[in-house]
Amino acid sequence: DTAVSQTPKYLVTQMGNDKSIKCEQNLGHDTMYWYKQDSKKFLKIMFSYNNKELIINETVPNRFSPKSPDKAHLNLHINSLELGDSAVYFCASSPREPNTEAFFGQGTRLTVV
Amino acid sequence: DAKTTQPNSMESNEEEPVHLPCNHSTISGTDYIHWYRQLPSQGPEYVIHGLTSNVNNRMASLAIAEDRKSSTLILHRATLRDAAVYYCILRDKGGSEKLVFGKGTKLTVNP
């Protein structure tokens, strides 16, 4: 069983479209994250949710809207996609306790054409 | 989050030990040192973490300098599967909710 699973793995879409990426974790963790890895391979946090509540929003454009229907799911919806949104998006989760291991999904490679 | 400095790249031969250094001269007393790695086309994965004492687990060892301004991740016998980007990250004891990734060290393992 995959601990943190993301769908789809690959997503190719045109500029201006709206798309969603789904993330599910079966580890019982309270905290979930979205990270973005750009073409230069820098990994940057976008959002963090703790038990369905947004706790970190790293100055991400409001075209990006995370949604957590329950603590096992954190989906990422992106409106009006732009070329610069092309990247690999990683979902992650960790327990509430500080300084514990975070588990990452396999990533979703988004290409905007 | 305090900064870390790592070499951009390192090379090793298969079945030899690898010592990956990390400098964190501005580390505070409550910062834990975490290591993650990212294999090609995969998400990051946890390797090890520690506060003051050296730590061992099935993947690696973490040696922390006495003044805590540097640390070294030790892979005892490198395999081709260990080729990855290794990230050294500081996290506050209070458990800052995010991992701040730097550029990391790209490890190449030669057969």
Side-chain angles (χ1 to χ4, degrees):
Chain A
D1 281 341
T2 305
V4 181
S5 59
Q6 300 177 224
T7 54
K9 191 170 181 181
Y10 300 97
L11 184 54
V12 181
T13 188
Q14 290 186 327
M15 282 175 55
N17 283 351
D18 303 338
K19 289 293 177 187
S20 292
I21 306 172
K22 295 187 176 182
C23 178
E24 176 181 3
Q25 54 97 0
N26 61 6
L27 299 165
H29 291 164
D30 287 315
T31 307
M32 295 186 72
Y33 316 80
W34 278 108
Y35 283 80
K36 178 181 179 181
Q37 188 166 40
D38 61 24
S39 57
K40 294 184 179 178
K41 303 296 186 184
F42 289 118
L43 263 164
K44 287 192 65 176
I45 189 163
M46 301 173 68
F47 300 102
S48 173
Y49 269 71
N50 194 338
N51 208 4
K52 303 195 298 175
E53 184 179 336
L54 179 67
I55 53 173
I56 293 176
N57 180 340
E58 290 284 320
T59 329
V60 177
N62 57 17
R63 297 183 296 104
F64 290 78
S65 53
K67 286 196 171 43
S68 182
D70 55 61
K71 76 172 196 178
H73 295 84
L74 181 61
N75 304 323
L76 184 64
H77 189 76
I78 315 170
N79 289 328
S80 304
L81 278 155
E82 300 176 357
L83 294 177
D85 297 332
S86 296
V88 182
Y89 292 84
F90 289 100
C91 178
S93 73
S94 68
R96 179 193 293 270
E97 292 76 23
N99 279 290
T100 50
E101 178 181 351
F103 290 80
F104 285 77
Q106 292 295 296
T108 295
R109 181 174 294 277
L110 171 65
T111 304
V112 183
V113 298
Chain B
D1 297 295
K3 281 191 172 180
T4 62
T5 306
Q6 300 176 251
N8 288 335
S9 62
M10 289 185 66
E11 268 193 59
S12 171
N13 294 322
E14 205 176 2
E15 299 193 4
E16 290 184 357
V18 182
H19 291 234
L20 296 161
C22 180
N23 287 322
H24 28 78
S25 57
T26 59
I27 190 170
S28 75
T30 56
D31 283 334
Y32 278 74
I33 302 156
H34 287 247
W35 284 81
Y36 280 74
R37 71 180 186 180
Q38 187 174 20
L39 279 67
S41 302
Q42 293 193 29
E45 67 173 342
Y46 168 83
V47 178
I48 200 165
H49 78 278
L51 183 62
T52 56
S53 305
N54 295 345
V55 184
N56 300 299
N57 67 20
R58 63 173 179 81
M59 287 181 73
S61 295
L62 177 59
I64 302 173
E66 204 167 323
D67 63 4
R68 298 204 335 119
K69 293 187 177 182
S70 65
S71 60
T72 303
L73 179 71
I74 302 166
L75 306 179
H76 295 285
R77 287 182 70 207
T79 68
L80 296 177
R81 199 194 169 277
D82 291 321
V85 178
Y86 286 79
Y87 298 96
C88 170
I89 300 166
L90 300 183
R91 294 185 83 183
D92 184 80
K93 185 179 180 181
S96 170
E97 303 289 355
K98 62 184 180 183
L99 292 165
V100 178
F101 289 84
K103 295 180 183 179
T105 296
K106 183 174 182 179
L107 175 66
T108 301
V109 180
N110 300 314

